[in-house]
Amino acid sequence: MSAGVLRHNRDFRLLWTGAGISALGGTVTTVTYPLLMIWHDGSAVRAGLVGFAALLPMLLLQLPAGVFVDRWDRRRVMITCDAVSFATIGSVAISLLLGHLWLPHLLVVAFLEGSAQIFYRLSERAAVRNVVQPGDLPAALSQNEARGRAAGLLGQPLGSVLFALVRWAPFVFTALGHLVALVTLLLIRKDFQTERGPRKNLRAEIAEGVGWLLRQRFLRSAVLLVAVTNVLFQVLSLSLALIVKENGGSPAVIGVIGAASGVGGVLGAMSGSWFVRRLRPGMVIITVFAVWALLMPVVALTANPVVLGGLFAGMSFAGALINVMAGVYQVQVTPDEMQGRVGSVAGLLSSGANSFGALAAGFLLAAWGTGHTVLGVAAVMAAVAVTAWLTPVVRTTEYRERVNA
């Protein structure tokens, strides 16, 4: 019923469409940056520098971005982000059309686009509850999760194909996409936030967001548990690449497995609201963790691409459910004036966990090999699932508001 109502919600459709176009463009450029540097002068070091510049805002700006998203008008923030992305990405397209590629220019563009994505993403997530009815929130966030998964699934091959056609094409596509997204924002009628209270200094507001999240027993437990699983999936992803390589597979095989995983994620996101309506948030966590613990060890026992694709599709399906659940619960319980800060704190914790996982993966695989590493990851995942089950607040917590069927 909620999905049907959302189809008639003009403002949500505009917000959903514009954010989807922005997300697709972000994936296209993320894929294109390393291709551009490697095919331009064959420098993996320069490609790594551009990737670092694009990710650096996650470390530097996540927490202050949450504060400013709660202070400023969210629609104006998103419009500014689209305008900045249009101008910076467009400048790369023009530079390539003129036959020039300057590394410092690309580093600045990558950093600015990465910064804009952080502000845009936090603003859009915080704005959703203000453009839909409370009972439609699960369906809205489920559709948002499906949109994000689809953008990742489509953006990778699209970026590669456009780059193969002509090097400036991905940047023209992304710049025009941000222009379209900007227009959709201008057409939305509803406000993206409630009235704001008095402002404090930046440090105090960051501390308020961190303190608020840490006082929420369920959110605190869920973030810590999910942070551990993020580390495990970083190790599992690198293990997959080695498994394919050790068994004579090509990078294309990894791409096919990734596509299968993306399809699983889209399907999981589309069905997320169904599970949210029927299971307590903690039971979603426990069930997903149990599914992961069952599927992970099988990765160590096969090199068949079809089987691996099915396993990763299943894990991605389950992961999408947990994202929908977390989005619904966090948006429901967080005061509107703190949505940006709480989202940024949770995002920073997740990003930090991913970096530690990537660092640990190389050492573990070098020391233990793929089979033992994957089995070790599965054992830790099983322990996390048991821990979630034994944590009373995880088992018993209910949604703050009833979600409609």
Side-chain angles (χ1 to χ4, degrees):
M1 181 173 68
S2 295
V5 171
L6 289 175
R7 282 196 293 270
H8 299 287
N9 185 328
R10 173 184 176 275
D11 289 336
F12 175 75
R13 291 201 319 272
L14 288 169
L15 181 64
W16 188 90
T17 301
I21 294 171
S22 288
L24 179 61
T27 303
V28 167
T29 51
T30 298
V31 170
T32 306
Y33 282 139
L35 297 179
L36 183 61
M37 297 312 302
I38 290 173
W39 262 261
H40 178 71
D41 59 8
S43 174
V45 173
R46 293 190 173 195
L49 284 173
V50 176
F52 172 77
L55 292 174
L56 188 59
M58 291 292 292
L59 179 63
L60 299 181
L61 299 179
Q62 188 87 288
L63 288 180
V67 174
F68 292 124
V69 164
D70 287 338
R71 284 183 177 183
W72 298 337
D73 182 283
R74 291 169 185 160
R75 188 206 310 267
R76 291 178 183 172
V77 170
M78 295 173 70
I79 290 172
T80 301
C81 289
D82 275 325
V84 168
S85 295
F86 171 75
T88 55
I89 296 297
S91 72
V92 176
I94 293 172
S95 178
L96 292 173
L97 277 167
L98 297 176
H100 301 293
L101 181 61
W102 192 36
L103 178 61
H105 174 214
L106 208 59
L107 292 174
V108 171
V109 169
F111 182 84
L112 290 175
E113 188 190 11
S115 302
Q117 286 178 3
I118 290 174
F119 280 88
Y120 190 99
R121 184 168 56 249
L122 289 172
S123 299
E124 193 258 345
R125 181 169 180 142
V128 171
R129 65 182 281 174
N130 293 285
V131 298
V132 303
Q133 296 299 317
D136 297 328
L137 188 59
L141 293 179
S142 180
Q143 290 188 28
N144 283 3
E145 177 68 15
R147 178 197 64 201
R149 299 274 179 167
L153 177 64
L154 297 174
Q156 293 187 21
L158 180 59
S160 300
V161 169
L162 289 174
F163 181 80
L165 291 175
V166 58
R167 292 182 182 180
W168 49 260
F171 299 98
V172 171
F173 174 87
T174 299
L176 292 177
H178 282 295
L179 185 61
V180 173
L182 189 155
V183 172
T184 66
L185 289 169
L186 295 174
L187 295 174
I188 296 175
R189 299 173 183 142
K190 292 182 180 178
D191 291 330
F192 284 8
Q193 66 278 315
T194 57
E195 291 295 324
R196 293 288 177 261
R199 296 178 179 178
K200 305 174 185 177
N201 64 63
L202 183 64
R203 182 179 298 178
E205 292 197 42
I206 291 175
E208 186 178 16
V210 173
W212 187 92
L213 187 145
L214 294 179
R215 288 192 298 273
Q216 308 303 307
R217 294 175 61 213
F218 175 76
L219 276 180
R220 183 181 66 228
S221 299
V223 167
L224 292 176
L225 290 168
V226 170
V228 176
T229 67
N230 284 340
V231 172
L232 298 179
F233 271 103
Q234 290 297 315
V235 179
L236 192 67
S237 296
L238 186 55
S239 299
L240 171 66
L242 286 181
I243 288 171
V244 171
K245 182 180 178 182
E246 290 170 355
N247 289 274
S250 68
V253 173
I254 298 175
V256 171
I257 295 172
S261 177
V263 171
V266 171
L267 294 176
M270 292 173 64
S271 59
S273 62
W274 188 91
F275 287 94
V276 164
R277 291 194 297 267
R278 288 161 176 81
L279 295 175
R280 292 193 300 272
M283 292 309 297
V284 173
I285 289 178
I286 293 168
T287 302
V288 168
F289 286 0
V291 169
W292 285 344
L294 291 172
L295 295 180
M296 281 181 175
V298 185
V299 174
L301 305 177
T302 182
N304 186 304
V306 176
V307 176
L308 288 171
L311 291 171
F312 276 84
M315 287 186 281
S316 187
F317 181 97
L321 299 183
I322 226 173
N323 286 346
V324 173
M325 177 282 300
V328 171
Y329 185 85
Q330 184 254 303
V331 171
Q332 281 187 350
V333 302
T334 306
D336 188 70
E337 66 274 11
M338 294 182 66
Q339 288 284 338
R341 282 169 286 170
V342 172
S344 69
V345 172
L348 181 63
L349 291 174
S350 298
S351 300
N354 288 345
S355 64
F356 283 115
L359 181 64
F363 290 104
L364 291 172
L365 289 165
W368 292 357
T370 53
H372 289 94
T373 298
V374 172
L375 291 176
V377 165
V380 176
M381 187 68 247
V384 173
V386 172
T387 301
W389 173 254
L390 294 177
T391 305
V393 70
V394 174
R395 289 202 314 273
T396 60
T397 296
E398 300 281 355
Y399 291 102
R400 178 64 58 85
E401 301 168 7
R402 185 177 69 86
V403 291
N404 296 332

